[in-house]
Amino acid sequence: MAHLLGDFVLQPNSWVADKENRKLKSKYLYLHVLIHTALSFIFLWNIQLWWMAVLVGISHFIIDACKLSFQTVKNKKSWFFIDQALHFLVIAGVSFYCNEFSFEFLKDQETLKIIMAALFLTSPASIFIKILLSSWTPVPETAGNIQTESLSSAGKYIGILERLLVFTFILVDHWEGVGFMVAAKSVFRFSDLAQAKQENSRSMY
């Protein structure tokens, strides 16, 4: 949970861009690592386990530094997944070594699964989907346009809402809600496609 919050929810795109441009000279790299370390302290909530938070922070810095140093435009997608896999391996290793929590709700594995799944379905899932589909995503001619960026942001939040709704329907065992939402989305998408086709037909004449 600390990793998902620190790497996705609490890391703006502007920080990512600055890190990719300035690499190890970027102040946001060190601020990003500091946030990860602080989140680890908060979720552990045990001063005796301070070394776990520090270990996560140091390893996060090393992994991110390697990614920034060796990442190129061509291998950016590969490095994203390598970076995430290494982070989770470190977290898994530390967890296996010492699994101790003070918060009562964190001892309930079912609660943890639900919270983590819901958290993953927000910004992390958006980024994963964006990177996976990047090879097939057309680059608009009006790149950088304020309207284009607004539509992109709107699509991102609509996608997050849709995933959370599907997750909620599954949790409460109402699968018909998933079908209804997919059907409703298909109807609206068909309407958009029909409208776009009409506009293209008018432009031809």
Side-chain angles (χ1 to χ4, degrees):
M1 286 165 57
H3 175 77
L4 292 176
L5 283 171
D7 234 25
F8 299 98
V9 180
L10 299 180
Q11 182 176 214
N13 291 332
S14 57
W15 289 20
V16 177
D18 189 83
K19 289 194 299 179
E20 290 178 347
N21 291 330
R22 303 188 64 189
K23 301 187 184 301
L24 299 183
K25 294 181 180 180
S26 174
K27 63 181 181 181
Y28 295 113
L29 170 62
Y30 303 95
L31 181 58
H32 175 65
V33 171
L34 183 62
I35 289 174
H36 266 282
T37 307
L39 286 171
S40 297
F41 268 119
I42 292 171
F43 279 99
L44 288 169
W45 205 251
N46 188 336
I47 195 64
Q48 295 180 350
L49 301 178
W50 62 269
W51 60 270
M52 293 176 66
V54 173
L55 179 60
V56 169
I58 293 174
S59 65
H60 199 97
F61 172 76
I62 295 172
I63 294 169
D64 276 16
C66 291
K67 175 189 174 185
L68 293 172
S69 299
F70 300 111
Q71 177 181 269
T72 62
V73 176
K74 292 183 179 180
N75 63 18
K76 185 175 182 179
K77 183 190 296 186
S78 299
W79 264 107
F80 170 79
F81 290 105
I82 292 171
D83 172 79
Q84 293 301 314
L86 291 174
H87 288 316
F88 280 111
L89 281 174
V90 171
I91 294 170
V94 173
S95 298
F96 277 120
Y97 182 80
C98 181
N99 187 14
E100 183 178 339
F101 299 103
S102 297
F103 291 159
E104 288 298 323
F105 80 95
L106 290 178
K107 294 181 180 180
D108 185 357
Q109 294 298 316
E110 292 301 318
T111 302
L112 275 177
K113 291 176 184 177
I114 293 173
I115 294 174
M116 190 154 179
L119 184 58
F120 177 78
L121 291 174
T122 57
S123 297
S126 298
I127 295 174
F128 271 82
I129 293 170
K130 180 180 178 181
I131 292 176
L132 283 172
L133 300 180
S134 60
S135 302
W136 300 281
T137 303
V139 179
E141 296 180 0
T142 56
N145 186 281
I146 296 177
Q147 184 177 2
T148 303
E149 293 179 359
S150 299
L151 288 173
S152 178
S153 297
K156 171 186 174 182
Y157 291 114
I158 290 172
I160 291 173
L161 181 60
E162 288 175 348
R163 290 191 294 274
L164 289 175
L165 282 172
V166 170
F167 181 59
T168 303
F169 286 138
I170 293 173
L171 278 180
V172 298
D173 200 22
H174 279 284
W175 294 83
E176 66 276 11
V178 179
F180 175 79
M181 198 185 75
V182 172
K185 184 176 180 179
S186 300
V187 170
F188 285 117
R189 184 56 58 91
F190 178 79
S191 175
D192 292 340
L193 291 173
Q195 183 178 357
K197 185 176 180 180
Q198 289 179 357
E199 293 177 353
N200 289 334
S201 299
R202 290 172 184 170
S203 63
M204 290 176 64
Y205 295 101

